[in-house]
Amino acid sequence: MLNAMRDHEAAQAELRGDCQRCFGLCCVALPFAASADFAVGKDAGTPCRNLQDDHRCGIHARLRQTGFTGCTVYDCFGAGQQVSQVTFGGRDWRSGPPEHARRMFDVFPVVRQLHELLWYLTEALALPAARPVHADLRKALEKTEELTGRTAEELAGLDVAAHRQDVNVLLLRTSELARAGTKGRRKDRRGADLVGARLGGADLRGANLRGACLIAADLTGADLRGADLIGADLRDTDLTGADLTGAFFLTQPQLNAARGSAATRLPESVTRPGHWAA
């Protein structure tokens, strides 16, 4: 069990963005609109005005203060360094013809989706309750890893949606098995519209919150132990004092978009955002 935990931690460490090994792809490839999250807008394929020649952000330490909160929420799951150093062999988007840059920008979001799936599959394999589907999960993990290693041309033409659908079947079964051990009635709020919901102190142990919209919801002091949070929208959700111990399929971008405090209890797979209250 200890070796399995170490393997899980090592695998997830590789699925976190490493800007030192990336060519600032999220700052160029992705579009964003002027809004509460971004002080200005830009088109896909256009470098952000704050991107420097060394592919570093010129205002990284001041993103929130200067109106770029959206940047602090985003995480590429390690796709940036994979595309930069593996798919394109360390050749940046500035060093070749325009078609080289365009292909890199097209491939980046594809690999990002694959790496997100790797995150979920890696976590699923670390859940003892999911042992009945571990063999199938390993096959799906190996297949997804094989896809990330394909050429840029192959990745650009990949039907990611179809692969996600196949993997989701296993993740759904994993969720059922992991939540089955929770005592009492397990709430099913899959895909629920809970915008602004007042759920302070709610008992949501083992709840199915897959894809639930919890924007600006009050979950202060809520018990979310063992809940499935895959795809839940936690933008501006108040998690102050909430207990998410054992909650699974929770990602760092989800947590970065929420609000919380030092009293919020988190799974070991994620870290407490620096902008949360003390």
Side-chain angles (χ1 to χ4, degrees), residues 229-265:
L229 292 167
I230 194 169
D233 193 336
L234 301 180
R235 283 177 292 169
D236 205 30
T237 304
D238 194 345
L239 296 173
T240 301
D243 189 350
L244 289 90
T245 306
F248 54 96
F249 299 151
L250 174 67
T251 66
Q252 195 65 47
Q254 286 174 293
L255 208 57
N256 291 346
R259 293 181 288 131
S261 69
T264 305
R265 301 181 65 185

Side-chain angles (χ1 to χ4, degrees), residues 33-125:
S35 61
D37 293 323
F38 297 100
V40 296
K42 79 170 194 66
D43 296 329
T46 301
C48 173
R49 69 181 188 183
N50 299 308
L51 186 66
Q52 302 178 134
D53 291 342
D54 62 356
H55 305 296
R56 301 291 175 263
C57 175
I59 60 167
H60 187 267
R62 299 178 289 109
L63 284 167
R64 285 186 167 267
Q65 298 91 314
T66 51
F68 288 87
T69 301
C71 297
T72 67
V73 172
Y74 183 80
D75 188 282
C76 71
F77 293 99
Q81 61 259 31
Q82 173 72 18
V83 173
S84 297
Q85 303 301 330
V86 180
T87 311
F88 286 86
R91 185 184 182 196
D92 72 42
W93 50 272
R94 287 190 173 108
S95 64
E99 55 267 25
H100 167 78
R102 284 195 296 270
R103 180 52 56 89
M104 183 176 279
F105 301 154
D106 288 343
V107 165
F108 173 62
V110 173
V111 176
R112 200 263 186 189
Q113 290 188 67
L114 293 174
H115 273 220
E116 183 179 4
L117 291 178
L118 288 175
W119 178 277
Y120 295 139
L121 288 166
T122 300
E123 185 169 357
L125 280 165

Side-chain angles (χ1 to χ4, degrees):
M1 178 63 72
L2 185 58
N3 287 337
M5 289 177 62
R6 287 172 178 166
D7 290 344
H8 169 234
E9 292 171 1
Q12 289 201 324
E14 286 298 311
L15 294 172
R16 291 185 172 91
D18 183 352
C19 297
Q20 298 297 319
R21 294 190 285 155
C22 178
F23 298 136
L25 294 183
C26 64
C27 306
V28 187
L30 306 178
F32 50 77
S35 61
D37 293 323
F38 297 100
V40 296
K42 79 170 194 66
D43 296 329
T46 301
C48 173
R49 69 181 188 183
N50 299 308
L51 186 66
Q52 302 178 134
D53 291 342
D54 62 356
H55 305 296
R56 301 291 175 263
C57 175
I59 60 167
H60 187 267
R62 299 178 289 109
L63 284 167
R64 285 186 167 267
Q65 298 91 314
T66 51
F68 288 87
T69 301
C71 297
T72 67
V73 172
Y74 183 80
D75 188 282
C76 71
F77 293 99
Q81 61 259 31
Q82 173 72 18
V83 173
S84 297
Q85 303 301 330
V86 180
T87 311
F88 286 86
R91 185 184 182 196
D92 72 42
W93 50 272
R94 287 190 173 108
S95 64
E99 55 267 25
H100 167 78
R102 284 195 296 270
R103 180 52 56 89
M104 183 176 279
F105 301 154
D106 288 343
V107 165
F108 173 62
V110 173
V111 176
R112 200 263 186 189
Q113 290 188 67
L114 293 174
H115 273 220
E116 183 179 4
L117 291 178
L118 288 175
W119 178 277
Y120 295 139
L121 288 166
T122 300
E123 185 169 357
L125 280 165
L127 296 172
R131 193 173 303 279
V133 291
H134 275 187
D136 290 333
L137 287 167
R138 287 192 190 93
K139 290 179 182 178
L141 180 70
E142 291 169 0
K143 175 62 176 179
T144 307
E145 288 177 334
E146 184 272 322
L147 291 175
T148 65
R150 292 189 178 183
T151 66
E153 290 71 22
E154 291 170 328
L155 285 165
L158 185 65
D159 187 349
V160 184
H163 183 63
R164 288 185 73 100
Q165 187 172 4
D166 291 340
V167 171
N168 191 50
V169 172
L170 291 173
L171 298 180
L172 281 167
R173 180 58 179 150
T174 296
S175 177
E176 293 168 357
L177 291 167
R179 293 182 297 106
T182 303
K183 295 180 180 180
R185 184 180 178 182
R186 300 184 301 277
K187 294 181 174 62
D188 187 355
R189 296 296 182 88
R190 181 179 181 183
D193 183 354
L194 298 171
V195 175
R198 297 180 179 179
L199 297 169
D203 182 357
L204 294 169
R205 287 174 295 173
N208 183 354
L209 291 167
R210 296 172 65 91
C213 187
L214 288 155
I215 297 174
D218 177 11
L219 285 170
T220 55
D223 192 342
L224 291 150
R225 287 177 291 174
D228 180 351
L229 292 167
I230 194 169
D233 193 336
L234 301 180
R235 283 177 292 169
D236 205 30
T237 304
D238 194 345
L239 296 173
T240 301
D243 189 350
L244 289 90
T245 306
F248 54 96
F249 299 151
L250 174 67
T251 66
Q252 195 65 47
Q254 286 174 293
L255 208 57
N256 291 346
R259 293 181 288 131
S261 69
T264 305
R265 301 181 65 185
L266 301 173
E268 293 182 357
S269 58
V270 292
T271 59
R272 193 177 311 277
H275 64 272
W276 279 15

